[in-house]
Amino acid sequence: MARDAELKTYDGPAGGWGSARSVAGALVRDRAPLKSAAALAKQNKPGGFACVSCAWSKPRDPHVFEFCENGAKATGWELTSKTIGPEFFSRHPLAELETWSDFALEDQGRLTMPMRLNRATDRYEPIAWDAAFKEIGAALKAIEPKRAVFYASGRASLEASYMYQLLARAYGTNSLPDSSNMCHESTSVALPESIGQPVGTVFLEDFDHADCILFFGQNVGSNSPRMLHPLQEARKRGASIITFNPLKERGLERFINPQAPTEMLTGAETTISTQYCQLKAGGDLAALFGMCKALIAMDDRAVAEGLRRVVDADFIREHCHGVEAFKDACRARDWADLEARSGLGRREMGQAAEVYANSKAVIGVYGMGLTQHRLGVDNVQMLMNLLLLRGNVGRPGAGICPVRGHSNVQGQRTVGITEKVKLAPLEKLQELYGFKPPREDGMATVDACKGVIDGEVEAFVSLGGNFLRAVPETGAMEDAWRRLKLSVQIATKLNRSHVVGAKAAYLLPCLGRIEIDRRDGAPQFVSVEDSTSHFHASHGFAEPAADTLTSEPAIIAGIAQAALAANPRIDWAAWAKNYSLVRDAIEATYPSVFPDFNARIETPGGFPKPLAARERSWKTETGKANFVFPQALDEDPDMPARSPNALTLITLRSNDQFNTTVYGYDDRFRGVEGTRMVVLMNAKDIARLSLANGQTVTMRTIADDRLRQVQGFRVTAYDIPEGCVGAYYPECNPLIPLWHHAKVSKVPAAKAIPVTIHG
Ligand SMILES: Nc1nc2c(c(=O)[nH]1)N[C@H]1C(S)=C(S)[C@@H](COP(=O)(O)OP(=O)(O)OC[C@H]3O[C@@H](n4cnc5c(=O)[nH]c(N)nc54)[C@H](O)[C@@H]3O)O[C@H]1N2
Ligand SMILES: Nc1nc2c(c(=O)[nH]1)N[C@H]1C(S)=C(S)[C@@H](COP(=O)(O)OP(=O)(O)OC[C@H]3O[C@@H](n4cnc5c(=O)[nH]c(N)nc54)[C@H](O)[C@@H]3O)O[C@H]1N2
Ligand SMILES: [Mo]
C-alpha cells in the first residue's frame, strides 16, 4: 500500500547495490523467495525460459545471471505463493473490488479457478472449464462476428498467438488489436515505408561493432535493463552514446553491473551517455531536423572545398530515393524555429551531428518517447533519415533498433495477430484450413475502444493484458464496458479489466510461461521472438500455482471447439496437447520465416528471422530506401488554441511497475518514494503558475469536447524542461482523448497530452 510520500534525491547509479536490494525485497514480499531464486538461474538461458518482462535479446553466451532487477521482480510476481480462489470472490463483490488500486488487485496473487460473474450477487463464482467453454461458445455464436474483438497483450507465446488469430479468423473477424497498437505500431507503419520492413534491422552482435549509439526516448535502466550490458561494453570500447530525453534517466547516465563483483565492491561506475540532450517532449522531430541540417551543411562545405564527403554519397546513389527533396527541406528549416521546438541549442544539435559524422557504425535506438506522439510515425522516419544519410543500415554495427515492449509482442505480429488484412496470411489460411477468412480490416485498439463506447462492440475476448486500464479515455471506457454483452479474460492475475463487470463475464486463469506446462503428463515448451528478431524456445520450470490451471493454448482450443463448427483440417484438441504440431502449422503458414521450426528452435541465442533491409534489399514501392519526412512539425494540429498555461504531459513508467502491473510505490531512480500520485514539474513553471512544491492539484486536458481530469496529484519540483510535466501511467489515462493519437498508426499520444494544472 502507499506509504507517506517522499521525494528523495537518488544519487546512486542504475544497477549496483540499490538494484540488488530491490530484487531481494521484491522476492521476499511476493512470498516466493526460493522458487523464484531457483528460477532466476534459468532466466533467458538456452534450455531455460524467456523472461516474462521485456523483450530484450537473449544472448548466445548468456551471463551467469542473465536477468535484471525488473526481470527478477516479474519472475517473483508470477511465481508468488499467494493465490486467490472462490472464497476471495465470495467475500468481495465487484462493486468493492472496483475501488481497489491496481497494486492491491494484482497483489492478491495468482488466479486459480475459472470463474463466471453472477450479476445478481455481483460476485464471481466458480465454473467448470468445460461448462465455461460451452457457455462462451454459445455466447459467441449468438453475436455477429464483426461485433467481437480478440485483444492480445504481447506476452502469449508464438504457439498460443497463432492459435488465437486462427480462432478469431475462423470465427469471422480480423479484429485482433494488440498492445503494439499502443506501443510500436508507429514503427510498424513508419519502417515499411522507409526501408521495407516493419521491424528493426540490428541483431545483438551489432552492439559489439557500433562506435556510436543514439538513444531516443527509451528508458533502458527501468524497461530493458539487460541492454545496459552491451551499452556498458560499448562505452568501455570508447563508443559514444548520445541521449535525447526530457528527463535525466539514471540508466542512461551511469551504471554499475550488479552481477560484477568487483564493480559492486569498488563502486566502479560506467558513464553511459557521452552527451545528454534534455529536449522538450515532442521536440525530437526538430532535433533530428537540426542534426540532419548540420550534417548536410558539413557535406555541402565538403563538396565546395573538394574534401571527403560527410554523407555516404555512394550508398545514397545506389540505395536511396528522395534525398534531394529531403536535403532541401533541411536546408530550408530555420535554426531559431528548430531551437524553440526542440528546446535544444543549435550548438548542442551541431555537436551531436559532429559526433555522428565522425562515427563509422551507428545504431539508432528508440522507444515510447518517439512512438507515442501525434507525429510518432514521422519521428521514426526522421531517425531513419538520419541513419540513411551515412549509410547506417545493413552493415555490421549499424542500423535501427526499436526496443520492443512485451516479451513476445513482436512475435505475435509475426504469427498473424494483426487487424490489418494486408499483413495477415489470409490466402495461406484458406489454403491450409479450407475456410474463407474475412477480407476487411478489423479494429485496432482505438477503433475497438470507440466500438465499445458506441456499443458497436458486443463481445471482448482478451488474451492477457489489462485493456481497460492501458487504453486512453478510461473514464468513458469503464462506463461503456459494463454494457458489453460478453467479456472473456484469459489472465494470470486479477486486474481492473476483470472487476468492471460486463453483462456476462468469464475469468479464465492460465499458467504463466515460467511454469511447467504438462499436457497429458508430457511437459510442453513454447517459443517467443525477441526485440532483435530472434526466435527462442522457453521451457517452464516451476510447479504451477494450482493444479486447476490450464495453458493458454488449451484455453484457446477449448473456446474454439465450442464456438466454431468442426473443421477436419484443424485438430484443436491435438494442438492443445502437443505444441510441436502448432509449430508445424506455423511453419506451413510462413515457410520462409520458420523453415525447420521444430528442429531449430533450441538454437542457443535463438534463430533469426530473415530481414531484407539487413541485406540492403528494400521491399518498398520504389525498391529503394526512402527519405520520408513531414512538412509541418506541429505536434497537435487539431488541438484547440493553447492556453498560456498549457503544459505538455508525459506519461511515465516507474522503476517499480510493468505497465499496469504496479509492483510497489517507489521509483528509485527518480527519487520518488511511497507514492505514484506526483506531477513532476520544472520549478519555474511551479512559480509561474503560482503553485507550491508539495501542493495537491487537479490536471485537466485541454480539449473542447468534454471534461477530462484527474485529481490528487502532488506538485513535485523536478529536473524537467519548462513547459513539460511528467506523471505516471496508468493513473493519467483518463486524460488522453481517444482521438489524440498518431496519424496512421493510431498509437495514443501518451507522451504529449496538453493539460492545465489547477490548485
Ligand atoms: N520494468 C519494466 N519493463 C518494461 C515495461 C514496464 O512497464 N516496466 N514495459 C514494457 C513495454 S510494453 C514497453 S513498450 C517498454 C517501454 O519502454 P520505454 O520505451 O522506455 O517507455 P517509457 O518508459 O514509457 O518512456 C520512455 C522514455 O521516453 C522519454 N520521453 C517521453 N517523452 C519523450 C519525447 O517526446 N522525446 C523523447 N526523446 N523522449 C521522451 C521518457 O522520459 C522515458 O525515459 O518497456 C517494456 N519493459
Ligand atoms: N498513458 C499511457 N498509456 C499506455 C502506455 C504509456 O506509456 N502511457 N503504454 C502503452 C503500452 S506500450 C502498452 S504495451 C500497453 C500495455 O497494455 P496491456 O498489455 O494490456 O497491459 P499489461 O499491464 O501488460 O497487462 C497486465 C495483465 O496481464 C496479465 N498477464 C500477465 N502475464 C500473463 C500471461 O502469461 N498470460 C496471460 N493470459 N495474462 C497474463 C495479468 O492478468 C496482468 O494483470 O499500455 C499502453 N498504455
Ligand atoms: Mo508496450
Side-chain angles (χ1 to χ4, degrees):
M1 282 285 115
R3 300 191 305 273
D4 284 347
E6 276 181 71
L7 187 81
K8 290 192 178 155
T9 313
Y10 182 73
D11 44 18
W17 288 110
S19 156
R21 262 195 305 277
S22 174
V23 170
L27 295 187
V28 172
R29 191 211 36 222
D30 288 329
R31 291 203 242 119
L34 285 179
K35 194 163 151 188
S36 306
L40 291 176
K42 302 250 178 190
Q43 199 146 321
N44 300 317
K45 296 276 181 58
F49 66 92
C51 180
V52 296
S53 193
C54 81
W56 185 244
S57 320
K58 289 115 187 88
R60 191 169 28 230
D61 303 311
H63 295 86
V64 181
F65 301 109
E66 188 62 40
F67 64 87
C68 69
E69 167 181 349
N70 285 333
K73 281 187 206 161
T75 299
W77 198 249
E78 182 165 312
L79 295 188
T80 174
S81 58
K82 301 181 201 172
T83 55
I84 17 182
E87 52 323 315
F88 171 86
F89 290 105
S90 61
R91 277 202 311 278
H92 304 290
L94 293 200
E96 181 202 331
L97 293 174
E98 268 191 44
T99 65
W100 289 23
S101 67
D102 298 306
F103 172 81
L105 290 172
E106 285 213 26
D107 191 45
Q108 299 311 307
R110 290 286 300 279
L111 295 162
T112 53
M113 304 230 324
M115 308 294 289
R116 173 184 55 185
L117 177 62
N118 179 339
R119 293 270 287 191
T121 62
D122 194 34
R123 283 168 170 83
Y124 274 110
E125 293 172 350
I127 180 172
W129 279 111
D130 279 348
F133 293 146
K134 226 164 130 191
E135 289 185 17
I136 293 166
L140 282 172
K141 279 181 181 162
I143 284 167
E144 240 184 287
K146 70 172 197 306
R147 291 176 174 272
V149 170
F150 291 78
Y151 172 69
S153 130
R155 191 174 286 196
S157 62
L158 293 170
E159 292 80 355
S161 304
Y162 178 81
M163 290 172 69
Y164 193 63
Q165 62 84 35
L166 190 60
L167 159 65
R169 297 201 161 99
Y171 170 68
T173 180
N174 285 311
S175 288
L176 283 153
D178 74 347
S179 61
S180 65
N181 290 143
M182 299 178 252
C183 186
H184 268 293
E185 189 67 23
S186 299
T187 298
S188 314
V189 169
L191 293 185
E193 204 184 350
S194 294
I195 56 168
Q197 73 180 36
V199 297
T201 65
V202 304
F203 287 170
L204 186 56
E205 64 252 31
D206 287 312
F207 283 84
D208 298 340
H209 305 288
D211 60 352
C212 172
I213 300 168
L214 304 173
F215 236 94
F216 283 85
Q218 204 274 335
N219 186 8
V220 59
S222 287
N223 298 332
S224 50
R226 286 184 303 110
M227 190 179 184
L228 283 168
H229 296 284
L231 295 183
Q232 189 186 31
E233 293 300 317
R235 283 291 300 121
K236 286 185 174 162
R237 266 197 338 268
S240 312
I241 298 184
I242 309 178
T243 295
F244 297 82
N245 197 312
L247 302 187
K248 284 273 182 79
E249 302 288 24
R250 186 48 44 92
L252 287 159
E253 293 185 304
R254 304 180 265 134
F255 174 58
I256 287 191
N257 182 350
Q259 298 168 356
T262 42
E263 281 178 35
M264 290 288 272
L265 290 173
T266 58
E269 303 174 356
T270 305
T271 302
I272 296 292
S273 297
T274 46
Q275 185 185 349
Y276 209 111
C277 302
Q278 211 174 348
L279 80 185
K280 286 185 189 170
D284 304 84
L285 270 182
L288 283 158
F289 260 114
M291 281 180 74
C292 291
K293 183 177 171 71
L295 201 74
I296 289 161
M298 285 182 236
D299 188 60
D300 287 346
R301 254 192 324 269
V303 172
E305 292 169 16
L307 300 172
R308 225 182 110 136
R309 296 290 299 265
V310 177
V311 303
D312 185 340
D314 293 341
F315 170 79
I316 293 173
R317 197 176 316 109
E318 193 183 344
H319 290 285
C320 296
H321 172 84
V323 73
E324 287 311 324
F326 179 63
K327 282 186 178 177
D328 288 345
C330 292
R331 290 184 189 115
R333 288 269 160 217
D334 170 46
W335 274 117
D337 180 59
L338 295 177
E339 288 186 325
R341 287 175 187 279
S342 66
L344 301 176
R346 177 178 175 173
R347 279 194 48 207
E348 252 178 305
M349 295 184 257
Q351 191 189 334
E354 191 111 1
V355 173
Y356 175 70
N358 288 313
S359 302
K360 293 195 179 67
V362 182
I363 296 179
V365 175
Y366 67 94
M368 299 300 99
L370 286 197
T371 62
Q372 292 179 335
H373 279 284
R374 300 280 284 196
L375 300 180
V377 173
D378 310 72
N379 279 340
V380 175
Q381 291 178 328
M382 269 307 293
L383 177 55
M384 199 62 236
N385 294 340
L386 176 64
L387 293 171
L388 289 176
L389 282 176
R390 286 188 40 85
N392 276 309
V393 60
R395 59 186 171 81
I400 193 152
C401 179
V403 182
R404 297 278 165 170
H406 271 291
S407 49
N408 192 35
V409 65
Q410 189 168 314
Q412 293 199 329
R413 276 297 158 89
T414 303
V415 296
I417 298 228
T418 170
E419 73 287 352
K420 297 187 180 79
V421 292
K422 69 169 197 268
L423 302 178
L426 300 184
E427 303 293 338
K428 203 74 193 179
L429 295 179
Q430 183 160 350
E431 176 195 318
L432 288 170
Y433 306 117
F435 71 89
K436 281 207 167 70
R439 295 285 163 167
E440 58 292 339
D441 279 348
M443 289 178 247
T445 288
V446 296
D447 308 319
C449 291
K450 188 170 178 303
V452 170
I453 292 171
D454 297 347
E456 194 195 318
V457 169
E458 296 184 339
F460 202 99
V461 184
S462 278
L463 180 58
N466 187 2
F467 191 78
L468 201 45
R469 200 72 177 129
V471 296
E473 205 82 85
T474 38
M477 276 297 288
E478 291 201 356
D479 295 337
W481 195 256
R482 299 173 214 279
R483 296 194 293 272
L484 280 176
K485 281 192 184 158
L486 175 69
S487 154
V488 179
Q489 302 286 327
I490 304 168
T492 50
K493 291 250 182 133
L494 190 62
N495 66 43
R496 194 153 183 91
S497 304
H498 312 149
V499 300
V500 175
K503 287 185 181 150
Y506 295 83
L507 189 45
L508 306 180
C510 62
L511 292 167
R513 193 156 74 220
I514 311 174
E515 290 169 317
I516 304 170
D517 180 0
R518 296 186 185 88
R519 301 288 103 209
D520 277 355
Q524 297 293 314
F525 67 90
V526 293
S527 52
V528 298
E529 177 179 345
D530 68 24
S531 243
T532 50
S533 301
H534 280 61
F535 301 112
H536 306 263
S538 178
H539 296 262
F541 160 77
E543 281 302 320
D547 55 13
T548 40
L549 290 174
T550 189
S551 70
E552 290 174 325
I555 294 172
I556 296 161
I559 297 175
Q561 285 169 291
L564 308 175
N567 178 341
R569 296 207 226 168
I570 312 178
D571 192 344
W572 294 100
W575 282 3
K577 282 188 197 150
N578 180 353
Y579 304 165
S580 62
L581 298 177
V582 187
R583 286 186 285 276
D584 287 341
I586 294 174
E587 180 177 340
T589 312
Y590 301 94
S592 61
V593 182
F594 292 99
D596 298 323
F597 192 5
N598 271 306
R600 292 201 298 160
I601 191 57
E602 300 286 5
T603 311
F607 73 87
K609 179 156 87 175
L611 298 176
R614 236 186 117 72
E615 315 299 327
R616 295 194 162 178
S617 154
W618 318 103
K619 311 261 181 233
T620 57
E621 272 177 26
T622 57
K624 303 253 178 179
N626 294 311
F627 283 92
V628 191
F629 58 94
Q631 299 302 324
L633 306 189
D634 291 316
E635 165 83 12
D636 284 311
D638 46 14
M639 274 281 167
R642 294 195 158 214
S643 100
N645 293 342
L647 296 164
T648 303
L649 169 67
I650 305 171
T651 56
L652 295 167
R653 292 168 160 78
S654 81
N655 184 49
D656 221 4
Q657 76 181 87
F658 189 92
N659 299 336
T660 71
T661 296
V662 175
Y663 300 127
Y665 289 87
D666 295 338
D667 192 358
R668 197 173 81 249
F669 296 150
R670 300 198 185 107
V672 180
E673 286 191 9
T675 184
R676 294 172 52 82
M677 296 298 282
V678 289
V679 47
L680 309 178
M681 292 185 77
N682 185 296
K684 289 194 187 138
D685 285 326
I686 298 179
R688 182 174 60 87
L689 298 172
S690 307
L691 299 168
N693 196 20
Q695 182 181 351
T696 303
V697 292
T698 295
M699 277 188 276
R700 238 170 247 158
T701 310
I702 305 177
D704 290 335
D705 57 340
R706 76 163 71 139
L707 175 68
R708 296 177 185 83
Q709 67 177 23
V710 290
Q711 292 170 313
F713 286 77
R714 213 181 63 158
V715 171
T716 304
Y718 199 82
D719 182 7
I720 184 169
E722 271 185 86
C724 301
V725 293
Y728 294 115
Y729 137 70
E731 286 79 354
C732 291
N733 284 34
L735 294 175
I736 312 177
L738 198 52
W739 43 264
H740 183 59
H741 58 67
K743 281 189 292 180
V744 191
S745 75
K746 298 185 182 170
V747 170
K751 296 293 184 265
I753 309 161
V755 295
T756 48
I757 295 194
H758 308 266

